[in-house]
Amino acid sequence: MRAIERFLHYITVDTASSEESGKHPSTSGQFDLARVLVMDLLRMGISAGDITYDEEHCYVYARLKGNSERDIPAVGFISHLDTSPEASGKNVRTQFVYDYDGGEIELGNGKMLSPSVFPELLLYKGQTLITTDGQTLLGADDKAGIAEIMSMLEYFIENPDIEHGDICVAFTPDEEIGEGTEFFDLKAFGADVAYTVDGGILGEISYENFNAASAKITIKGCNVHPGEAKDKMINSQRIAFEIDGAIPAAERPETTCDREGFFHLCSISGDVSQTTMKYIIRDHDKNLFEEKKERIRKICEKTMAAHPGCGITADISDTYYNMIEKIIPDNKHIVDICKRAMKKDGIEPLDVPVRGGTDGAMLSFKGLPCPNICAGGHNFHGVYEYISVESIEKITKLLSGIVLEFADR
Ligand SMILES: [Zn+2]
């Protein structure tokens, strides 16, 4: 029961991050949870010398030293303190649905959690679900991950006869705004390999994510009084339409899934004389990713050539890369070990390519190979978020199983 109690405690702390604050961490509530975790770590018996709390940037690292004579790799687990700014995380009020019958769940505040909209609910028939009251997100993303990691640590502290290597844990701020690894201290963390525990459904394992770039296209036109514009005016907004029109509709977020990449027009603003378009470009495949960047450059060149007198610049920069190239060639055992631990617990592993980036992808490119595994929740970032008690318990056990697999190798 302790992982559940921890989870229910952690979600009482409002840790929503903020895109706007410009601070690190972006919000002060994350400090509150970091301090709770430091206290919990001390209370469960991690010595103060094995806890590093970066009070400036709000990172918590802790280590349970190995008890083996053998040389066992230090395995790490990471989850994030913040919740998404897309929904409130303040005054989270949970509801328990015992022995779920597969029907509609009334959350309150006019919100229904219904299997006709969220068919995965049916997987949880007979289980105990934790939902919101329809006003806030739940915070299973990623406080379920934190609770599972903490309870796994406690298990090894309470069972000192079980042989294991160093277990390193880290709790990081601002994952939801893409800044989770900004000040991550690999040395303080001390793991040889790690997992972010930040995925969804039980069994999920991800070691692929997008390659990502952003493109800012600036179009300069020529403004003339519309009454005298013939053969003189160049309307930068119309040129923007042409550029976007050259990108096939089949390569948009709303028309793609799985490993299909896309161009996403995030924003467009301007007037006759100047228009700015912002795209993000995504593809799992490195070659297709490069091709997409090249294509948008070419489209801009061609459009500029077709409109003498207009100016088009495309600033394209890479944001992050697919971690698969850091995991599969040289570190596939990290994936295999996790899958073995899952199978031993009767969990069917599900390979899920992430249609986004992960903190683990960033860390993989900093030298710490780091796939992402399930934390158990569903419908992240909104009021329909839920998790089952059974998933939290199983994932807590799975994390211990992974540690044991490393010790066995
Ligand atoms: Zn998350």
Side-chain angles (χ1 to χ4, degrees), residues 261-333:
F262 59 71
F263 299 87
H264 174 43
L265 178 58
C266 304
S267 72
I268 173 165
S269 63
D271 51 29
V272 174
S273 55
Q274 181 166 321
T275 298
T276 305
M277 308 165 85
K278 286 183 183 163
Y279 284 90
I280 58 171
I281 300 165
R282 299 289 187 263
D283 210 298
H284 286 96
D285 183 287
K286 196 69 190 263
N287 293 328
L288 294 176
F289 173 63
E290 295 300 331
E291 183 276 327
K292 281 190 166 64
K293 289 190 287 180
E294 191 48 38
R295 180 139 50 106
I296 206 158
R297 230 175 251 130
K298 285 260 163 65
I299 290 171
C300 289
E301 279 169 18
K302 243 177 111 179
T303 311
M304 190 158 92
H307 296 277
C310 91
I312 304 177
T313 54
D315 291 319
I316 301 175
S317 55
D318 292 354
T319 321
Y320 55 81
Y321 300 110
N322 189 346
M323 65 176 139
I324 194 167
E325 62 179 273
K326 296 291 175 192
I327 294 178
I328 291 308
D330 300 319
N331 295 293
K332 186 166 172 289
H333 67 283

Side-chain angles (χ1 to χ4, degrees), residues 37 41 46 59-64 72-81 142 144-156 164-172 181 184-186 188-199 204-205 334-335 337-339 341-342 345 359-360 363 368-375 394-407:
L37 294 174
L41 287 162
I46 302 279
Y59 288 73
V60 179
Y61 310 92
R63 178 195 301 247
L64 177 61
I72 300 172
V75 56
F77 299 95
I78 302 165
S79 51
H80 61 88
L81 300 161
D142 189 17
I146 300 177
E148 290 150 3
I149 291 171
M150 292 291 274
S151 300
M152 172 274 298
L153 264 189
E154 190 176 46
Y155 169 78
F156 285 104
H164 62 83
D166 282 6
I167 306 171
C168 307
V169 306
F171 306 113
T172 60
T181 58
F184 194 96
D185 184 342
L186 285 170
F189 186 42
D192 297 314
V193 299
Y195 301 88
T196 49
V197 184
D198 190 21
E204 196 176 287
I205 171 155
I334 312 172
V335 173
I337 280 179
C338 172
K339 288 185 176 177
M342 285 177 173
D345 283 342
D359 276 358
L363 294 174
L368 178 72
C370 190
N372 184 42
I373 59 174
C374 48
K394 281 182 191 157
I395 292 167
T396 302
K397 184 155 179 282
L398 171 65
L399 302 185
S400 330
I402 291 172
V403 171
L404 295 176
E405 283 295 322
F406 272 97

Side-chain angles (χ1 to χ4, degrees), residues 28-68:
S28 63
Q30 299 182 70
F31 282 120
D32 298 336
L33 182 56
R35 280 189 288 262
V36 166
L37 294 174
V38 171
M39 289 310 297
D40 278 2
L41 287 162
L42 288 168
R43 220 176 284 137
M44 71 169 75
I46 302 279
S47 63
D50 288 326
I51 300 173
T52 306
Y53 176 29
D54 173 354
E55 281 182 89
E56 189 187 351
H57 303 113
C58 196
Y59 288 73
V60 179
Y61 310 92
R63 178 195 301 247
L64 177 61
K65 286 205 186 82
N67 55 8
S68 173

